[in-house]
Amino acid sequence: MSRSLKKGPYVHFKLNRKVEKNIKDNEKTVIKTWSRASMITPDFVGQKIAVHNGRKFIPTNITENMVGQKLGELSTI
């Protein structure tokens, strides 16, 4: 079942804070996260996010084509 449109996409608040800090400081550091349920928003484009798959972190560069996907989909690649 998908999330209601009036609620908007789910993004974990700590992940969102880390992405905003990277953008503000103009850094390209890898952001580690366990939040596989978070959705990729347009703010994430150009960032490098490492998603935990249960055993290790899978680093991924976020592109425009990935907007709207969940981070959990990237941890299986």
Side-chain angles (χ1 to χ4, degrees):
M1 180 180 288
S2 64
R3 188 168 166 93
S4 172
L5 289 176
K6 67 180 178 181
K7 289 183 181 181
Y10 171 75
V11 180
H12 195 269
F13 67 96
K14 287 185 180 180
L15 176 62
N16 201 15
R17 196 176 351 157
K18 289 178 185 179
V19 170
E20 288 175 357
K21 183 180 180 296
N22 263 1
I23 292 171
K24 186 184 76 160
D25 296 342
N26 204 13
E27 295 180 357
K28 293 291 183 180
T29 58
V30 178
I31 300 171
K32 288 186 175 183
T33 184
W34 284 263
S35 178
R36 298 175 58 188
S38 293
M39 187 173 283
I40 298 173
T41 61
D43 297 340
F44 289 22
V45 174
Q47 300 293 321
K48 189 163 191 164
I49 297 180
V51 184
H52 197 258
N53 71 349
R55 187 174 51 158
K56 59 183 178 178
F57 287 96
I58 309 295
T60 308
N61 289 324
I62 305 298
T63 61
E64 289 183 25
N65 297 337
M66 297 177 181
V67 173
Q69 292 182 356
K70 304 231 179 201
L71 289 175
E73 297 175 25
L74 304 176
S75 66
T76 58
I77 296 174

